[in-house]
Amino acid sequence: MVDTPFGRVITAMVTPMHADGSIDYDGLQNLAVYLADHGHDGLLVNGTTGESATTTDEEDYACVRAVVEAVGDRVEVMAGCGTNDTEHSTRAAREMVACGADALLVVTPYYNKPPQDCILEHFRLVAEAGGGVPVMLYDIPGRTGTALSTDTIRRAADIPAVRAVKDAKGDFFEASRLMSQTDLLWYSGDDIVNLPHLAQGATGVVSVVGHVAGDRYAEMIGAVDRGDLSRAREIHRRLIPAVDAIMHVSQGAIQAKAAMKMLGVISSDALRMPYRQGPPEHQQRLRAGLEESGLLKTGT
């Protein structure tokens, strides 16, 4: 068993909204309970999949409070607090911890593309603002425009609160190198490569597809822990249609919300612009993918 303060099956939660775009906090709590009942020992609030780019600080804090109230005694609750403004990020870190967050996710500052030494200092300041709660760094150069260098991650491991990396960069050799050279916990941040990351030693997943496949991912992690890669591959391959339908047909947050409504977990799949639900064929492909993966009964 791996000792982790984040959990091992973590889903980056969508943020349920009413048709007018206001946040459905009751729906958010219902979703949190559903995920806790289906394989999760960790949840991420206010991540990209939660549409954090279009929610206000006050809404973000209220979302953390709502999820902590609903399931804080059952799962680890991690809050996304990273932005491209260090002062904003440190303030958010303090507030989210005050709202009950057990851990923080801090993304590489995006758009302004700071150099590596500035990124490292940004991480240090945000981690200190969190008052010592565990921090997971988020390396996703496709969104931020800047990849974390191996040296930056190695040096970040010396920051006391920094305990983990969510890897959506996909450089498996460097991930393996860092797992061997540091005590950092490694998490797959891309559902397409969950199994490869786990097979070379990752602790867990921070998932979007976990909305519908939390139990399956818990089973996959258990199989890898036992050395049963044959069973882990079976689970991985069975989930390919669902992963494809959620991650490749449209944007992941859009499809995950549609899937949660399709499964009857949330009442609305409303989003905030610039997101909106796609054409009917996207829903059809989503339904087909969920059915093929055994996650939705045919004809439901």
Side-chain angles (χ1 to χ4, degrees), residues 6 10-13 43-50 52 64 77-83 89-90 92-93 96-97 101-110 122-123 126-127 130 133-140 143 148 161-168 185 187-189 205-207:
F6 304 98
I10 307 167
T11 275
M13 297 175 65
L43 294 174
L44 169 62
V45 188
N46 303 331
T48 307
T49 306
S52 58
V64 173
V77 179
M78 179 164 54
C81 68
T83 70
S89 301
T90 56
M96 289 179 181
V97 171
D102 300 302
L104 298 170
L105 180 74
V106 185
V107 71
T108 308
Y110 43 84
H122 172 87
F123 288 153
V126 179
V133 303
V135 169
M136 182 183 293
L137 307 182
Y138 188 10
D139 189 9
I140 181 167
R143 288 186 183 274
L148 295 180
V162 173
R163 299 287 307 281
V165 173
K166 177 186 177 187
D167 184 348
L185 302 169
Y187 285 78
S188 172
V205 301
V206 183
S207 176

Side-chain angles (χ1 to χ4, degrees), residues 215-287:
D215 291 320
R216 307 301 198 282
Y217 283 140
E219 186 181 357
M220 179 190 290
I221 289 171
V224 173
D225 284 350
R226 297 190 307 272
D228 189 354
L229 289 181
S230 177
R231 177 58 183 154
R233 281 194 299 270
E234 288 177 9
I235 298 166
H236 166 78
R237 290 172 180 173
R238 183 75 190 277
L239 289 175
I240 286 173
V243 173
D244 194 36
I246 291 174
M247 303 307 296
H248 291 153
V249 171
S250 181
Q251 206 279 339
I254 296 172
Q255 293 294 87
K257 254 188 186 175
M260 287 292 89
K261 182 182 178 185
M262 200 172 286
L263 290 171
V265 180
I266 62 177
S267 60
S268 170
D269 58 8
L271 303 126
R272 287 184 182 175
M273 286 293 290
Y275 289 162
R276 65 177 184 179
Q277 285 300 330
E281 52 264 33
H282 287 186
Q283 300 267 338
Q284 293 164 6
R285 291 176 63 184
L286 175 61
R287 181 178 295 277

